[in-house]
Amino acid sequence: MTIEQSFRTLVCTGTLAMACALSAQAADIGGVKVEDTATVAGKTLVLNGGGMRQIFVVKVYAAALYLSEKKTSAADVQALTTPKRVALHIQREVNSEEFGQLFITSMNKNSSKEEKAKVINQTVKFGEMFASLPPVKKGDIVTLDWVPGSGTVSTLNGKQIGETLPDIAFYNAVLRIWIGENPVQSDVKRGLLGEK
């Protein structure tokens, strides 16, 4: 191999490595960098989409939805039985009791009477779990994972909070906070479902 051929090979290899590195870099959600992939229960998930939750002009959190395969409808997302993740990248301090109450209120707005009754015990535990935390701060990351055969696993900065909640109906009730008929913010729903 000549020096020129070696140089070309090196340049091509370097360009390919840079392209791979760039593709593995973070996506941008309202100025917040989030990973393009996540690992849940040993499975690599892809970023389905994301959106910035705001109250008036104040950014509260960047939400990112990770799935085993991209989906564009709420029904298709909920029908998946493979691992899933919602990651919330906190943008301002929120009292944990208020944070938990916002979740519960949004879950109730997006569930029928029958759906609420089916997961009431898990919903109460979910609310209590957040109420027991210190305030979440800017830079904190809350993840809500569906782990098949186990249940809903919640973490704060990588550390599990509360107990695992077993019913997929409960996880789908949580998902409906953002992708239900009455989402917390319509543009967040569109973003999570991959709409530009």
Side-chain angles (χ1 to χ4, degrees):
M1 189 182 285
T2 67
I3 292 175
E4 187 177 328
Q5 288 171 320
S6 296
F7 181 73
R8 280 187 189 150
T9 302
L10 187 61
V11 169
C12 288
T13 304
T15 303
L16 182 62
M18 281 181 61
C20 290
L22 287 173
S23 68
Q25 284 184 351
D28 185 281
I29 299 173
V32 177
K33 301 292 184 198
V34 302
E35 295 303 316
D36 286 330
T37 61
T39 302
V40 175
K43 303 287 185 190
T44 299
L45 308 182
V46 296
L47 178 65
N48 199 70
M52 180 62 71
R53 171 70 172 123
Q54 292 184 201
I55 298 177
F56 300 109
V57 295
V58 178
K59 292 180 178 180
V60 182
Y61 56 78
L65 175 62
Y66 296 90
L67 303 172
S68 56
E69 58 189 276
K70 293 210 173 200
K71 297 292 181 185
T72 57
S73 80
D76 287 346
V77 170
Q78 292 183 77
L80 283 175
T81 56
T82 51
K84 307 175 204 183
R85 167 172 286 174
V86 173
L88 306 177
H89 297 256
I90 308 302
Q91 297 303 297
R92 73 167 182 91
E93 185 168 315
V94 182
N95 175 292
S96 52
E97 192 167 335
E98 175 192 354
F99 199 47
Q101 194 53 53
L102 288 171
F103 280 164
I104 303 306
T105 300
S106 295
M107 286 170 69
N108 286 334
K109 281 184 186 176
N110 286 283
S111 297
S112 67
K113 189 175 179 180
E114 294 76 20
E115 287 168 334
K116 285 188 265 192
K118 187 174 181 185
V119 297
I120 185 68
N121 291 337
Q122 292 173 88
T123 303
V124 168
K125 288 177 183 176
F126 190 67
E128 289 172 348
M129 174 179 75
F130 279 97
S132 70
L133 292 175
V136 290
K137 297 179 174 64
K138 183 172 182 176
D140 284 347
I141 299 173
V142 174
T143 63
L144 306 166
D145 294 347
W146 171 250
V147 179
S150 185
T152 300
V153 177
S154 305
T155 72
L156 174 61
N157 299 324
K159 182 178 177 185
Q160 184 167 343
I161 50 177
E163 62 186 84
T164 301
L165 303 170
D167 196 335
I168 195 164
F170 173 76
Y171 192 80
N172 282 334
V174 172
L175 278 177
R176 288 195 296 271
I177 293 171
W178 301 282
I179 63 171
E181 291 296 314
N182 302 292
V184 291
Q185 199 170 302
S186 57
D187 61 335
V188 170
K189 176 179 178 176
R190 290 193 300 272
L192 291 174
L193 294 176
E195 295 179 27
K196 300 296 178 196

